[in-house]
Amino acid sequence: DQPWCHNGCENSPSFWPSLPNSQCGGVRQSPINIDTNQLTFDPSLRNLTFSDITNPHSIKFLTNNGHTVSCVLEGLMEVRGGGLPHGYTAVMMHFHWGGDSLCHPGSEHTVDSVRYPMEIHLVTLKEGLTMEQAKTDPERIAVFGFFIDVTGDQWHVESWRTLTSYLLNITEKGSSVDIVQPLSISDLLGSVDLTKFYRYQGSLTTPTCDEVVVWTVFEEPIKLRRDIVERFPKTLKYRNIYRPVQRLNGRPVYASPG
Ligand code: SG4
Ligand code: ZN
């Protein structure tokens, strides 16, 4: 695999389309700007359910994979309903963030051209498939994006303090750390309204940008303290790890009835 980056190397995003086997120059790319004046309300986007989301052992370790912090999810979290074409099983989670001051927010999706401080991606696979098979079907991956904001009330800061305290142990590319405290996905999401979301057909946001993703982006952000968000760029040294927004090329963006 040829090296690529978000910034500060030869293969930054404008060069991704010319990488080997790349779909990055395609017509259904992600992320996008979500224009709330151009949404199509879709009453079938109901009853989205996440099973096992409170499993306290889902987040067992964190890895610095050279592009972000990620973790393979343990347990059997299944996502169904919400207008998804199949059931999907959660496989991993990772983060996108900005600069070490919040003047440089780092979400991938934007809403009415506003970028949030961070975005979490919960990556799920169509049930019964491996990651390798998942690369060829246009709906074989579903990614769930959650924005993080730093304004207003703050929730569940304790779980985020726990998670981010481990970042110091993975400053080296390729390093991992075990998390000893029980930590669930819902500990991190807090009380985000899972009935209100946007839906569109897109791609992975990193090379090779495979056009196989059903995207769900939740409207309501997770609200955290500024110092928690700033721990990511300050500790990991990766800055502004998001891809610029891509053209819609006529794709509809649907909104759930909420
Ligand atoms: C990050 O580079 C992750 O580390 C990748 O995970 C992930 O690839 C990639 O982002 C693209 O995912 O939700 N942003 S995204 O579209 O999940 C996949 C791994 O390389 C396939 C494991
Ligand atoms: Zn991502």
Side-chain angles (χ1 to χ4, degrees), residues 161-209:
R161 204 200 310 278
T162 300
L163 181 90
T164 52
S165 69
Y166 286 94
L167 296 178
L168 276 168
N169 302 94
I170 52 168
T171 56
E172 299 273 314
K173 176 178 171 176
S175 57
S176 293
V177 64
D178 289 325
I179 294 180
V180 295
Q181 295 95 328
L183 194 59
S184 72
I185 294 169
S186 81
D187 288 336
L188 299 181
L189 302 184
S191 52
V192 167
D193 184 348
L194 298 176
T195 68
K196 288 195 182 134
F197 56 84
Y198 310 111
R199 166 70 50 71
Y200 76 100
Q201 302 281 341
S203 71
L204 295 175
T205 66
T206 62
T208 44
C209 310

mmCIF file of all heavy atoms in Angstrom, residues 161-209:
data_model
loop_
_atom_site.group_PDB
_atom_site.id
_atom_site.type_symbol
_atom_site.label_atom_id
_atom_site.label_comp_id
_atom_site.label_asym_id
_atom_site.label_seq_id
_atom_site.Cartn_x
_atom_site.Cartn_y
_atom_site.Cartn_z
ATOM 1 N N ARG A 161 -13.055 10.991 30.112
ATOM 2 C CA ARG A 161 -11.803 11.201 30.843
ATOM 3 C C ARG A 161 -11.030 9.884 30.897
ATOM 4 O O ARG A 161 -9.823 9.838 30.691
ATOM 5 C CB ARG A 161 -12.105 11.711 32.261
ATOM 6 C CG ARG A 161 -10.950 12.486 32.868
ATOM 7 C CD ARG A 161 -11.059 12.559 34.374
ATOM 8 N NE ARG A 161 -12.383 13.011 34.830
ATOM 9 C CZ ARG A 161 -12.741 14.286 34.893
ATOM 10 N NH1 ARG A 161 -11.899 15.232 34.557
ATOM 11 N NH2 ARG A 161 -13.948 14.611 35.320
ATOM 12 N N THR A 162 -11.763 8.796 31.151
ATOM 13 C CA THR A 162 -11.146 7.466 31.178
ATOM 14 C C THR A 162 -10.514 7.149 29.823
ATOM 15 O O THR A 162 -9.330 6.818 29.736
ATOM 16 C CB THR A 162 -12.213 6.388 31.492
ATOM 17 O OG1 THR A 162 -12.781 6.675 32.758
ATOM 18 C CG2 THR A 162 -11.617 4.992 31.475
ATOM 19 N N LEU A 163 -11.308 7.267 28.757
ATOM 20 C CA LEU A 163 -10.809 6.931 27.417
ATOM 21 C C LEU A 163 -9.568 7.756 27.073
ATOM 22 O O LEU A 163 -8.537 7.217 26.658
ATOM 23 C CB LEU A 163 -11.912 7.195 26.388
ATOM 24 C CG LEU A 163 -11.529 6.858 24.954
ATOM 25 C CD1 LEU A 163 -11.894 5.408 24.653
ATOM 26 C CD2 LEU A 163 -12.236 7.769 23.964
ATOM 27 N N THR A 164 -9.656 9.066 27.249
ATOM 28 C CA THR A 164 -8.556 9.924 26.795
ATOM 29 C C THR A 164 -7.316 9.804 27.684
ATOM 30 O O THR A 164 -6.222 10.128 27.249
ATOM 31 C CB THR A 164 -8.995 11.397 26.707
ATOM 32 O OG1 THR A 164 -9.587 11.789 27.951
ATOM 33 C CG2 THR A 164 -10.002 11.600 25.588
ATOM 34 N N SER A 165 -7.489 9.295 28.919
ATOM 35 C CA SER A 165 -6.306 9.134 29.768
ATOM 36 C C SER A 165 -5.345 8.105 29.178
ATOM 37 O O SER A 165 -4.165 8.103 29.487
ATOM 38 C CB SER A 165 -6.717 8.738 31.192
ATOM 39 O OG SER A 165 -7.233 7.424 31.189
ATOM 40 N N TYR A 166 -5.864 7.229 28.309
ATOM 41 C CA TYR A 166 -5.013 6.199 27.706
ATOM 42 C C TYR A 166 -4.248 6.689 26.480
ATOM 43 O O TYR A 166 -3.364 6.001 25.979
ATOM 44 C CB TYR A 166 -5.865 4.988 27.305
ATOM 45 C CG TYR A 166 -6.303 4.165 28.485
ATOM 46 C CD1 TYR A 166 -7.526 4.387 29.092
ATOM 47 C CD2 TYR A 166 -5.470 3.170 28.998
ATOM 48 C CE1 TYR A 166 -7.931 3.641 30.180
ATOM 49 C CE2 TYR A 166 -5.863 2.420 30.083
ATOM 50 C CZ TYR A 166 -7.094 2.658 30.670
ATOM 51 O OH TYR A 166 -7.476 1.918 31.755
ATOM 52 N N LEU A 167 -4.579 7.872 25.980
ATOM 53 C CA LEU A 167 -3.912 8.344 24.752
ATOM 54 C C LEU A 167 -2.403 8.500 24.948
ATOM 55 O O LEU A 167 -1.615 8.282 24.032
ATOM 56 C CB LEU A 167 -4.526 9.679 24.293
ATOM 57 C CG LEU A 167 -6.002 9.630 23.885
ATOM 58 C CD1 LEU A 167 -6.484 11.030 23.495
ATOM 59 C CD2 LEU A 167 -6.238 8.649 22.739
ATOM 60 N N LEU A 168 -2.017 8.856 26.178
ATOM 61 C CA LEU A 168 -0.588 9.022 26.484
ATOM 62 C C LEU A 168 0.212 7.744 26.262
ATOM 63 O O LEU A 168 1.416 7.783 26.033
ATOM 64 C CB LEU A 168 -0.424 9.429 27.955
ATOM 65 C CG LEU A 168 -0.566 10.904 28.267
ATOM 66 C CD1 LEU A 168 -0.682 11.105 29.770
ATOM 67 C CD2 LEU A 168 0.643 11.663 27.708
ATOM 68 N N ASN A 169 -0.467 6.595 26.320
ATOM 69 C CA ASN A 169 0.211 5.302 26.167
ATOM 70 C C ASN A 169 0.371 4.878 24.721
ATOM 71 O O ASN A 169 0.980 3.843 24.449
ATOM 72 C CB ASN A 169 -0.564 4.203 26.900
ATOM 73 C CG ASN A 169 -0.722 4.500 28.370
ATOM 74 O OD1 ASN A 169 -1.735 5.063 28.778
ATOM 75 N ND2 ASN A 169 0.278 4.175 29.151
ATOM 76 N N ILE A 170 -0.221 5.632 23.800
ATOM 77 C CA ILE A 170 -0.169 5.192 22.398
ATOM 78 C C ILE A 170 0.342 6.308 21.483
ATOM 79 O O ILE A 170 -0.130 6.473 20.360
ATOM 80 C CB ILE A 170 -1.548 4.671 21.906
ATOM 81 C CG1 ILE A 170 -2.659 5.686 22.177
ATOM 82 C CG2 ILE A 170 -1.878 3.323 22.546
ATOM 83 C CD1 ILE A 170 -3.966 5.340 21.457
ATOM 84 N N THR A 171 1.298 7.066 21.951
ATOM 85 C CA THR A 171 1.825 8.146 21.105
ATOM 86 C C THR A 171 2.657 7.612 19.938
ATOM 87 O O THR A 171 2.818 8.289 18.945
ATOM 88 C CB THR A 171 2.654 9.147 21.940
ATOM 89 O OG1 THR A 171 3.675 8.409 22.600
ATOM 90 C CG2 THR A 171 1.791 9.870 22.954
ATOM 91 N N GLU A 172 3.166 6.390 20.049
ATOM 92 C CA GLU A 172 3.923 5.774 18.954
ATOM 93 C C GLU A 172 2.986 5.131 17.950
ATOM 94 O O GLU A 172 2.072 4.391 18.345
ATOM 95 C CB GLU A 172 4.827 4.650 19.479
ATOM 96 C CG GLU A 172 5.868 5.064 20.479
ATOM 97 C CD GLU A 172 7.136 5.520 19.807
ATOM 98 O OE1 GLU A 172 7.594 4.811 18.871
ATOM 99 O OE2 GLU A 172 7.656 6.577 20.197
ATOM 100 N N LYS A 173 3.257 5.366 16.663
ATOM 101 C CA LYS A 173 2.493 4.704 15.612
ATOM 102 C C LYS A 173 2.585 3.187 15.765
ATOM 103 O O LYS A 173 3.671 2.653 15.977
ATOM 104 C CB LYS A 173 3.061 5.134 14.255
ATOM 105 C CG LYS A 173 2.433 4.451 13.077
ATOM 106 C CD LYS A 173 3.002 4.970 11.770
ATOM 107 C CE LYS A 173 2.505 4.091 10.624
ATOM 108 N NZ LYS A 173 2.943 4.593 9.327
ATOM 109 N N GLY A 174 1.453 2.499 15.699
ATOM 110 C CA GLY A 174 1.443 1.041 15.825
ATOM 111 C C GLY A 174 1.254 0.545 17.248
ATOM 112 O O GLY A 174 1.096 -0.648 17.466
ATOM 113 N N SER A 175 1.247 1.462 18.223
ATOM 114 C CA SER A 175 1.124 0.995 19.606
ATOM 115 C C SER A 175 -0.338 0.853 20.027
ATOM 116 O O SER A 175 -1.223 1.494 19.477
ATOM 117 C CB SER A 175 1.854 1.954 20.553
ATOM 118 O OG SER A 175 1.332 3.261 20.411
ATOM 119 N N SER A 176 -0.556 -0.028 20.999
ATOM 120 C CA SER A 176 -1.898 -0.273 21.532
ATOM 121 C C SER A 176 -1.858 -0.241 23.055
ATOM 122 O O SER A 176 -0.800 -0.449 23.646
ATOM 123 C CB SER A 176 -2.403 -1.664 21.127
ATOM 124 O OG SER A 176 -2.618 -1.729 19.750
ATOM 125 N N VAL A 177 -3.002 -0.027 23.649
ATOM 126 C CA VAL A 177 -3.077 -0.077 25.108
ATOM 127 C C VAL A 177 -4.396 -0.744 25.515
ATOM 128 O O VAL A 177 -5.431 -0.517 24.886
ATOM 129 C CB VAL A 177 -2.940 1.339 25.718
ATOM 130 C CG1 VAL A 177 -4.100 2.260 25.323
ATOM 131 C CG2 VAL A 177 -2.808 1.277 27.230
ATOM 132 N N ASP A 178 -4.341 -1.576 26.546
ATOM 133 C CA ASP A 178 -5.558 -2.197 27.069
ATOM 134 C C ASP A 178 -6.254 -1.224 28.009
ATOM 135 O O ASP A 178 -5.599 -0.538 28.796
ATOM 136 C CB ASP A 178 -5.206 -3.465 27.866
ATOM 137 C CG ASP A 178 -4.749 -4.579 26.945
ATOM 138 O OD1 ASP A 178 -5.281 -4.668 25.828
ATOM 139 O OD2 ASP A 178 -3.841 -5.346 27.340
ATOM 140 N N ILE A 179 -7.573 -1.202 27.932
ATOM 141 C CA ILE A 179 -8.358 -0.374 28.835
ATOM 142 C C ILE A 179 -8.863 -1.280 29.955
ATOM 143 O O ILE A 179 -9.514 -2.290 29.686
ATOM 144 C CB ILE A 179 -9.518 0.290 28.077
ATOM 145 C CG1 ILE A 179 -8.933 1.274 27.069
ATOM 146 C CG2 ILE A 179 -10.480 0.977 29.036
ATOM 147 C CD1 ILE A 179 -9.947 2.024 26.244
ATOM 148 N N VAL A 180 -8.545 -0.952 31.193
ATOM 149 C CA VAL A 180 -8.918 -1.848 32.288
ATOM 150 C C VAL A 180 -10.325 -1.576 32.818
ATOM 151 O O VAL A 180 -11.033 -2.496 33.204
ATOM 152 C CB VAL A 180 -7.878 -1.836 33.440
ATOM 153 C CG1 VAL A 180 -6.562 -2.404 32.959
ATOM 154 C CG2 VAL A 180 -7.693 -0.435 33.988
ATOM 155 N N GLN A 181 -10.745 -0.312 32.780
ATOM 156 C CA GLN A 181 -12.102 -0.004 33.275
ATOM 157 C C GLN A 181 -13.145 -0.486 32.270
ATOM 158 O O GLN A 181 -12.904 -0.446 31.074
ATOM 159 C CB GLN A 181 -12.305 1.507 33.450
ATOM 160 C CG GLN A 181 -11.449 2.145 34.515
ATOM 161 C CD GLN A 181 -10.178 2.727 33.927
ATOM 162 O OE1 GLN A 181 -9.644 2.200 32.956
ATOM 163 N NE2 GLN A 181 -9.695 3.778 34.522
ATOM 164 N N PRO A 182 -14.335 -0.916 32.740
ATOM 165 C CA PRO A 182 -15.408 -1.245 31.805
ATOM 166 C C PRO A 182 -15.856 0.016 31.074
ATOM 167 O O PRO A 182 -16.044 1.061 31.693
ATOM 168 C CB PRO A 182 -16.521 -1.780 32.703
ATOM 169 C CG PRO A 182 -16.182 -1.379 34.083
ATOM 170 C CD PRO A 182 -14.722 -1.106 34.141
ATOM 171 N N LEU A 183 -15.973 -0.076 29.740
ATOM 172 C CA LEU A 183 -16.357 1.095 28.954
ATOM 173 C C LEU A 183 -17.231 0.630 27.798
ATOM 174 O O LEU A 183 -16.839 -0.229 27.012
ATOM 175 C CB LEU A 183 -15.084 1.769 28.427
ATOM 176 C CG LEU A 183 -15.183 3.177 27.858
ATOM 177 C CD1 LEU A 183 -15.715 4.160 28.889
ATOM 178 C CD2 LEU A 183 -13.810 3.634 27.378
ATOM 179 N N SER A 184 -18.442 1.185 27.714
ATOM 180 C CA SER A 184 -19.360 0.788 26.643
ATOM 181 C C SER A 184 -19.483 1.907 25.619
ATOM 182 O O SER A 184 -19.104 3.055 25.875
ATOM 183 C CB SER A 184 -20.741 0.485 27.216
ATOM 184 O OG SER A 184 -21.377 1.682 27.613
ATOM 185 N N ILE A 185 -20.052 1.564 24.474
ATOM 186 C CA ILE A 185 -20.289 2.576 23.455
ATOM 187 C C ILE A 185 -21.299 3.595 23.972
ATOM 188 O O ILE A 185 -21.128 4.791 23.785
ATOM 189 C CB ILE A 185 -20.764 1.913 22.154
ATOM 190 C CG1 ILE A 185 -19.618 1.065 21.592
ATOM 191 C CG2 ILE A 185 -21.184 2.962 21.124
ATOM 192 C CD1 ILE A 185 -20.036 0.154 20.476
ATOM 193 N N SER A 186 -22.313 3.136 24.678
ATOM 194 C CA SER A 186 -23.303 4.101 25.161
ATOM 195 C C SER A 186 -22.735 5.014 26.251
ATOM 196 O O SER A 186 -23.187 6.142 26.399
ATOM 197 C CB SER A 186 -24.595 3.420 25.592
ATOM 198 O OG SER A 186 -24.481 2.900 26.855
ATOM 199 N N ASP A 187 -21.704 4.559 26.968
ATOM 200 C CA ASP A 187 -21.022 5.469 27.911
ATOM 201 C C ASP A 187 -20.463 6.676 27.160
ATOM 202 O O ASP A 187 -20.404 7.785 27.684
ATOM 203 C CB ASP A 187 -19.838 4.779 28.608
ATOM 204 C CG ASP A 187 -20.281 3.745 29.628
ATOM 205 O OD1 ASP A 187 -21.403 3.853 30.137
ATOM 206 O OD2 ASP A 187 -19.482 2.820 29.899
ATOM 207 N N LEU A 188 -19.997 6.444 25.935
ATOM 208 C CA LEU A 188 -19.404 7.534 25.152
ATOM 209 C C LEU A 188 -20.465 8.387 24.468
ATOM 210 O O LEU A 188 -20.291 9.587 24.294
ATOM 211 C CB LEU A 188 -18.426 6.991 24.108
ATOM 212 C CG LEU A 188 -17.226 6.209 24.659
ATOM 213 C CD1 LEU A 188 -16.334 5.764 23.519
ATOM 214 C CD2 LEU A 188 -16.421 7.043 25.659
ATOM 215 N N LEU A 189 -21.572 7.760 24.070
ATOM 216 C CA LEU A 189 -22.603 8.508 23.345
ATOM 217 C C LEU A 189 -23.503 9.304 24.279
ATOM 218 O O LEU A 189 -24.085 10.313 23.871
ATOM 219 C CB LEU A 189 -23.472 7.554 22.511
ATOM 220 C CG LEU A 189 -22.747 6.701 21.472
ATOM 221 C CD1 LEU A 189 -23.765 5.902 20.671
ATOM 222 C CD2 LEU A 189 -21.883 7.551 20.554
ATOM 223 N N GLY A 190 -23.632 8.857 25.526
ATOM 224 C CA GLY A 190 -24.502 9.564 26.452
ATOM 225 C C GLY A 190 -25.937 9.536 25.974
ATOM 226 O O GLY A 190 -26.433 8.511 25.513
ATOM 227 N N SER A 191 -26.592 10.692 26.017
ATOM 228 C CA SER A 191 -28.028 10.718 25.718
ATOM 229 C C SER A 191 -28.352 11.222 24.314
ATOM 230 O O SER A 191 -29.423 11.761 24.075
ATOM 231 C CB SER A 191 -28.734 11.576 26.752
ATOM 232 O OG SER A 191 -28.079 12.822 26.820
ATOM 233 N N VAL A 192 -27.429 11.058 23.377
ATOM 234 C CA VAL A 192 -27.696 11.484 21.994
ATOM 235 C C VAL A 192 -28.986 10.852 21.473
ATOM 236 O O VAL A 192 -29.238 9.666 21.684
ATOM 237 C CB VAL A 192 -26.518 11.090 21.069
ATOM 238 C CG1 VAL A 192 -26.910 11.218 19.599
ATOM 239 C CG2 VAL A 192 -25.315 11.951 21.355
ATOM 240 N N ASP A 193 -29.810 11.659 20.808
ATOM 241 C CA ASP A 193 -31.084 11.201 20.250
ATOM 242 C C ASP A 193 -30.825 10.362 18.998
ATOM 243 O O ASP A 193 -30.466 10.894 17.951
ATOM 244 C CB ASP A 193 -31.938 12.430 19.930
ATOM 245 C CG ASP A 193 -33.320 12.063 19.435
ATOM 246 O OD1 ASP A 193 -33.556 10.874 19.117
ATOM 247 O OD2 ASP A 193 -34.162 12.967 19.367
ATOM 248 N N LEU A 194 -31.018 9.055 19.123
ATOM 249 C CA LEU A 194 -30.717 8.147 18.004
ATOM 250 C C LEU A 194 -31.852 8.081 16.977
ATOM 251 O O LEU A 194 -31.772 7.325 16.018
ATOM 252 C CB LEU A 194 -30.405 6.742 18.536
ATOM 253 C CG LEU A 194 -29.186 6.644 19.460
ATOM 254 C CD1 LEU A 194 -29.040 5.232 20.010
ATOM 255 C CD2 LEU A 194 -27.907 7.065 18.745
ATOM 256 N N THR A 195 -32.913 8.877 17.179
ATOM 257 C CA THR A 195 -33.994 8.866 16.187
ATOM 258 C C THR A 195 -33.801 9.943 15.118
ATOM 259 O O THR A 195 -34.479 9.919 14.098
ATOM 260 C CB THR A 195 -35.384 9.082 16.837
ATOM 261 O OG1 THR A 195 -35.460 10.423 17.336
ATOM 262 C CG2 THR A 195 -35.630 8.086 17.956
ATOM 263 N N LYS A 196 -32.904 10.886 15.352
ATOM 264 C CA LYS A 196 -32.727 11.991 14.403
ATOM 265 C C LYS A 196 -31.400 11.862 13.676
ATOM 266 O O LYS A 196 -30.333 12.042 14.277
ATOM 267 C CB LYS A 196 -32.763 13.322 15.148
ATOM 268 C CG LYS A 196 -34.142 13.682 15.624
ATOM 269 C CD LYS A 196 -34.191 15.137 16.014
ATOM 270 C CE LYS A 196 -35.559 15.497 16.550
ATOM 271 N NZ LYS A 196 -35.471 16.287 17.773
ATOM 272 N N PHE A 197 -31.494 11.536 12.378
ATOM 273 C CA PHE A 197 -30.244 11.345 11.631
ATOM 274 C C PHE A 197 -30.414 11.663 10.152
ATOM 275 O O PHE A 197 -31.528 11.788 9.639
ATOM 276 C CB PHE A 197 -29.723 9.910 11.823
ATOM 277 C CG PHE A 197 -30.707 8.833 11.438
ATOM 278 C CD1 PHE A 197 -30.839 8.408 10.117
ATOM 279 C CD2 PHE A 197 -31.505 8.215 12.412
ATOM 280 C CE1 PHE A 197 -31.738 7.407 9.774
ATOM 281 C CE2 PHE A 197 -32.420 7.221 12.069
ATOM 282 C CZ PHE A 197 -32.530 6.815 10.747
ATOM 283 N N TYR A 198 -29.290 11.826 9.488
ATOM 284 C CA TYR A 198 -29.220 12.025 8.045
ATOM 285 C C TYR A 198 -28.712 10.732 7.421
ATOM 286 O O TYR A 198 -27.930 9.998 8.048
ATOM 287 C CB TYR A 198 -28.253 13.160 7.692
ATOM 288 C CG TYR A 198 -28.495 14.422 8.477
ATOM 289 C CD1 TYR A 198 -27.575 14.850 9.438
ATOM 290 C CD2 TYR A 198 -29.648 15.175 8.287
ATOM 291 C CE1 TYR A 198 -27.792 16.001 10.174
ATOM 292 C CE2 TYR A 198 -29.875 16.333 9.022
ATOM 293 C CZ TYR A 198 -28.938 16.740 9.966
ATOM 294 O OH TYR A 198 -29.156 17.873 10.705
ATOM 295 N N ARG A 199 -29.114 10.465 6.173
ATOM 296 C CA ARG A 199 -28.739 9.214 5.506
ATOM 297 C C ARG A 199 -28.388 9.493 4.054
ATOM 298 O O ARG A 199 -29.114 10.207 3.363
ATOM 299 C CB ARG A 199 -29.943 8.256 5.573
ATOM 300 C CG ARG A 199 -29.909 7.019 4.674
ATOM 301 C CD ARG A 199 -28.880 5.987 5.085
ATOM 302 N NE ARG A 199 -28.903 5.618 6.486
ATOM 303 C CZ ARG A 199 -29.863 4.895 7.074
ATOM 304 N NH1 ARG A 199 -30.871 4.412 6.377
ATOM 305 N NH2 ARG A 199 -29.797 4.615 8.359
ATOM 306 N N TYR A 200 -27.262 8.973 3.589
ATOM 307 C CA TYR A 200 -26.935 9.073 2.161
ATOM 308 C C TYR A 200 -25.966 7.953 1.798
ATOM 309 O O TYR A 200 -25.411 7.284 2.675
ATOM 310 C CB TYR A 200 -26.344 10.455 1.814
ATOM 311 C CG TYR A 200 -24.899 10.644 2.245
ATOM 312 C CD1 TYR A 200 -23.856 10.499 1.328
ATOM 313 C CD2 TYR A 200 -24.568 10.940 3.564
ATOM 314 C CE1 TYR A 200 -22.527 10.656 1.716
ATOM 315 C CE2 TYR A 200 -23.248 11.105 3.954
ATOM 316 C CZ TYR A 200 -22.228 10.957 3.018
ATOM 317 O OH TYR A 200 -20.919 11.099 3.415
ATOM 318 N N GLN A 201 -25.787 7.751 0.500
ATOM 319 C CA GLN A 201 -24.895 6.714 -0.021
ATOM 320 C C GLN A 201 -23.536 7.343 -0.339
ATOM 321 O O GLN A 201 -23.478 8.324 -1.083
ATOM 322 C CB GLN A 201 -25.473 6.122 -1.317
ATOM 323 C CG GLN A 201 -26.851 5.516 -1.165
ATOM 324 C CD GLN A 201 -26.824 4.134 -0.556
ATOM 325 O OE1 GLN A 201 -25.799 3.461 -0.553
ATOM 326 N NE2 GLN A 201 -27.962 3.704 -0.037
ATOM 327 N N GLY A 202 -22.481 6.778 0.222
ATOM 328 C CA GLY A 202 -21.168 7.387 0.030
ATOM 329 C C GLY A 202 -20.043 6.373 0.015
ATOM 330 O O GLY A 202 -20.203 5.245 -0.468
ATOM 331 N N SER A 203 -18.912 6.812 0.577
ATOM 332 C CA SER A 203 -17.679 6.014 0.482
ATOM 333 C C SER A 203 -16.950 6.003 1.817
ATOM 334 O O SER A 203 -17.294 6.760 2.733
ATOM 335 C CB SER A 203 -16.747 6.631 -0.563
ATOM 336 O OG SER A 203 -16.205 7.853 -0.063
ATOM 337 N N LEU A 204 -15.897 5.191 1.903
ATOM 338 C CA LEU A 204 -14.919 5.356 2.978
ATOM 339 C C LEU A 204 -14.244 6.707 2.755
ATOM 340 O O LEU A 204 -14.106 7.148 1.609
ATOM 341 C CB LEU A 204 -13.891 4.230 2.942
ATOM 342 C CG LEU A 204 -14.449 2.824 3.217
ATOM 343 C CD1 LEU A 204 -13.352 1.765 3.027
ATOM 344 C CD2 LEU A 204 -15.029 2.728 4.627
ATOM 345 N N THR A 205 -13.827 7.353 3.824
ATOM 346 C CA THR A 205 -13.252 8.700 3.683
ATOM 347 C C THR A 205 -11.730 8.697 3.614
ATOM 348 O O THR A 205 -11.107 9.745 3.667
ATOM 349 C CB THR A 205 -13.701 9.620 4.835
ATOM 350 O OG1 THR A 205 -13.133 9.128 6.059
ATOM 351 C CG2 THR A 205 -15.216 9.677 4.946
ATOM 352 N N THR A 206 -11.143 7.503 3.570
ATOM 353 C CA THR A 206 -9.688 7.399 3.417
ATOM 354 C C THR A 206 -9.405 6.457 2.246
ATOM 355 O O THR A 206 -10.254 5.636 1.884
ATOM 356 C CB THR A 206 -9.020 6.841 4.697
ATOM 357 O OG1 THR A 206 -9.511 5.517 4.936
ATOM 358 C CG2 THR A 206 -9.308 7.714 5.903
ATOM 359 N N PRO A 207 -8.203 6.588 1.614
ATOM 360 C CA PRO A 207 -7.883 5.688 0.501
ATOM 361 C C PRO A 207 -8.056 4.226 0.911
ATOM 362 O O PRO A 207 -7.710 3.883 2.030
ATOM 363 C CB PRO A 207 -6.413 6.009 0.216
ATOM 364 C CG PRO A 207 -6.256 7.430 0.686
ATOM 365 C CD PRO A 207 -7.129 7.540 1.901
ATOM 366 N N THR A 208 -8.662 3.407 0.041
ATOM 367 C CA THR A 208 -8.954 3.704 -1.338
ATOM 368 C C THR A 208 -10.365 4.230 -1.613
ATOM 369 O O THR A 208 -10.850 4.176 -2.748
ATOM 370 C CB THR A 208 -8.732 2.418 -2.170
ATOM 371 O OG1 THR A 208 -9.309 1.288 -1.456
ATOM 372 C CG2 THR A 208 -7.299 2.087 -2.348
ATOM 373 N N CYS A 209 -10.992 4.809 -0.598
ATOM 374 C CA CYS A 209 -12.284 5.518 -0.735
ATOM 375 C C CYS A 209 -13.358 4.668 -1.407
ATOM 376 O O CYS A 209 -14.150 5.179 -2.206
ATOM 377 C CB CYS A 209 -12.104 6.819 -1.527
ATOM 378 S SG CYS A 209 -10.771 7.890 -0.961
#
